[in-house]
Amino acid sequence: MRIVIHDYAGHPFQAQLSRELARRGHEVLHLYAASNPTPKGALVRRDGDPANFEVEGLSLAGPYQIYAYFRRWRHERAYGRLLAERIGAWRPDLVICCNTPLDALATLHRRCRRMGIRLIFWIQDLLGLAAWRILRSRIPGIGALIGRYHIAKERRLARGSDALVLITEDFAPIMRDWGVEDGKVHVIENWAPLDELPPSPRDNEWARGHGLTDRLSILYTGMMGLKHNPGLVLELACHFRDRPEIATVVVSEGRGADWLAARKADLGLDNLILLGFQPYDQLAKVMGSGDILLAILEPGAGVFSVPSKVMSYLCAGRPILAAIPPENLAAKIITANEAGLVAHPNDAGAFLETAERLIAGRALRQRLGQNALDYATRTFDIEAIGTRFETVIRQAAE
């Protein structure tokens, strides 16, 4: 089949799936939003890629205004038109679409219906519910109305798609409430490309280049947006400020990172190390330089989001310190597989006590880190994952 996988964010594991489907004989075009300022995966052709695999970034003029709602809305509608035109020109049999703003997805959905192209809605986050929770507090009055508009749009898109892939069973009751047919709903949990993110020695060139080989480091890498509370990172840095052998390292960009930079300067936190996004080919070494890997998710996001960075962390063979709601799938994976320790994001005291426990217990860190890697090794099998997606593709095509 001719298949487009569109991942607005440009994450690593979606690109791995595109390569796997191409390896199986499908003709695959992998599209992503090049103008979206998020860390990206392996989004260029590499030696050994199948000849029937293409990758292409789509860009609009001007910066993406993620925190300016109306400018962001106009940008996303324009992106939807650009995406629909590109897919219309390539004429695939089927599109798998994920991480795509709802207004952009609605434009693509209409184009696919007109052209008879099958559409699989790969739901990474419940974007309508997220918009409602965030906007009702940020824009009193009208924010709740905008949020309900997005929920209604996401419901229509879910019901109108040929198949849905959910990343957690926790989304399934919402799909039933929305009237989505059970036979169209499939659950495939997220993963990370273990072959691209192998465990790295603690003493590696990236760690040496940033002066981390002689310090115990608590490391956060990835986006730090509205779903993530940078105040918890600041709590860590303040808590350990009198212990120079412990560094809190943040590899991120955007509003959360900017807020931390201002607090670092105000408080003189030399133990808080702030770095911008690093090249994808360095990510394994970045994570390997951490003794503890940090994940944060706001309580209100627990129902509509699963942080994909946790899947990458599992590949590193390092223990995870997570401030994540316990009902979230990522927290359940960490707890059930003893891959780290989880504290509620609203309980700063418990979060700091958990950090102290990991810092004090070297044997504990080694055991939890090995458990994390063992989980990734037995679970992140791209051949098995590719087979599950092919089953969904066949059903959608029929």
Side-chain angles (χ1 to χ4, degrees), residues 21 53 56 65 139 286 308 353 382:
L21 292 177
F53 166 77
E56 183 179 323
Q65 303 284 346
I139 313 175
V286 172
S308 59
E353 288 174 10
I382 189 58

Side-chain angles (χ1 to χ4, degrees), residues 3 5 28 136 139 217 282 316:
I3 298 172
I5 293 184
V28 180
R136 64 177 178 166
I139 313 175
S217 65
Q282 294 296 304

Side-chain angles (χ1 to χ4, degrees), residues 35 58-63 74-76 78-80 82:
S35 51
L58 301 178
S59 295
L60 292 172
R74 289 196 299 269
H75 181 103
E76 290 171 354
Y79 182 85
L82 177 64

Side-chain angles (χ1 to χ4, degrees), residues 5 8-9 54 60 75 102 107 128 145 179 210 287 330 356 373:
I5 293 184
Y8 188 77
E54 302 176 51
L60 292 172
H75 181 103
L102 295 176
T107 302
L145 294 174
H210 292 87
M287 294 189 299
E356 287 277 15
L373 181 58

